[in-house]
Amino acid sequence: LDGLVNNAGANFWYGVAGAKEEDVRRCFDLNFYAYWAMAQEAYPHLKHAGGGMIVNTASIHARHTMPGVFPYNVSKAMVVALTTSIALEWGRDNIQCVAIAPGAIHTESLDRFVAEQENGEALLAGFTNRYPLGRIGRPDDVGSLIAYLLSGKNRFISGTTIYVDGGLGAADPETE
């Protein structure tokens, strides 16, 4: 084993006051605890191999979120913190860990979300207009970064979060 990609996740979007404990636990189980458990399982194999890369998929919601996205935003912030801890603790074993934080990516789940909304196409256009690149992401925008991180071409990236957000995180919130 020379790499691990933790890419499980689901949207659990509630307001803080409206979330139920069972929903928060389900969210954390899938969006955080599974990553931690997989990393623990991979650790001895990566160490035995002389090192490797762990890529954890977080979200822009770990840093830039909006009302009603709890506990999802918290779970993805936990993924960022886990990434930092792994990089610090396992770096001496030549194990790198990087989080990637995608913005909106055009996937089947986004298509379903848009289809379920009364004004779905207008909502999608609103998403698109927020991004400085003028579009939402494609799966290959994320996949190509993951492939690069796993390629071993850079053995000095670790403990950081790379935002794949079309420039959204660089925007001044006052101008949106």
Side-chain angles (χ1 to χ4, degrees):
L1 184 69
D2 56 13
L4 168 67
V5 177
N6 282 315
N7 190 40
N11 292 334
F12 293 84
W13 288 14
Y14 303 97
V16 174
K20 295 183 176 105
E21 182 178 351
E22 65 197 44
D23 296 322
V24 173
R25 287 184 187 277
R26 280 188 25 236
C27 178
F28 290 1
D29 282 350
L30 178 62
N31 291 353
F32 171 72
Y33 291 124
Y35 286 33
W36 171 60
M38 290 298 296
Q40 277 192 321
E41 288 294 318
Y43 174 68
H45 303 285
L46 293 170
K47 183 177 178 179
H48 178 74
M53 171 64 79
I54 298 173
V55 178
N56 291 324
T57 304
S59 167
I60 60 169
H61 286 284
R63 182 174 74 179
H64 301 284
T65 195
M66 57 194 173
V69 184
F70 174 82
Y72 178 82
N73 60 342
V74 173
S75 71
K76 292 306 183 172
M78 292 166 67
V79 168
V80 170
L82 174 65
T83 299
T84 304
S85 293
I86 290 170
L88 291 171
E89 294 180 21
W90 299 352
R92 296 283 182 205
D93 295 318
N94 202 29
I95 297 170
Q96 299 163 260
C97 192
V98 174
I100 58 169
I105 304 296
H106 199 132
T107 61
E108 290 177 14
S109 64
L110 179 63
D111 288 341
R112 281 192 304 272
F113 175 77
V114 168
E116 292 168 359
Q117 306 307 306
E118 188 174 308
N119 59 346
E121 290 305 315
L123 185 65
L124 184 59
F127 279 164
T128 302
N129 289 334
R130 291 183 62 217
Y131 286 85
L133 287 181
R135 67 176 179 86
I136 61 174
R138 297 181 303 258
D140 64 314
D141 293 323
V142 176
S144 61
L145 175 59
I146 293 171
Y148 171 74
L149 291 170
L150 293 173
S151 73
K153 291 182 180 176
N154 187 313
R155 302 297 297 162
F156 206 60
I157 297 174
S158 194
T160 194
T161 301
I162 301 172
Y163 288 82
V164 186
D165 65 357
L168 185 64
D172 181 355
E174 298 297 318
T175 62
E176 289 187 3

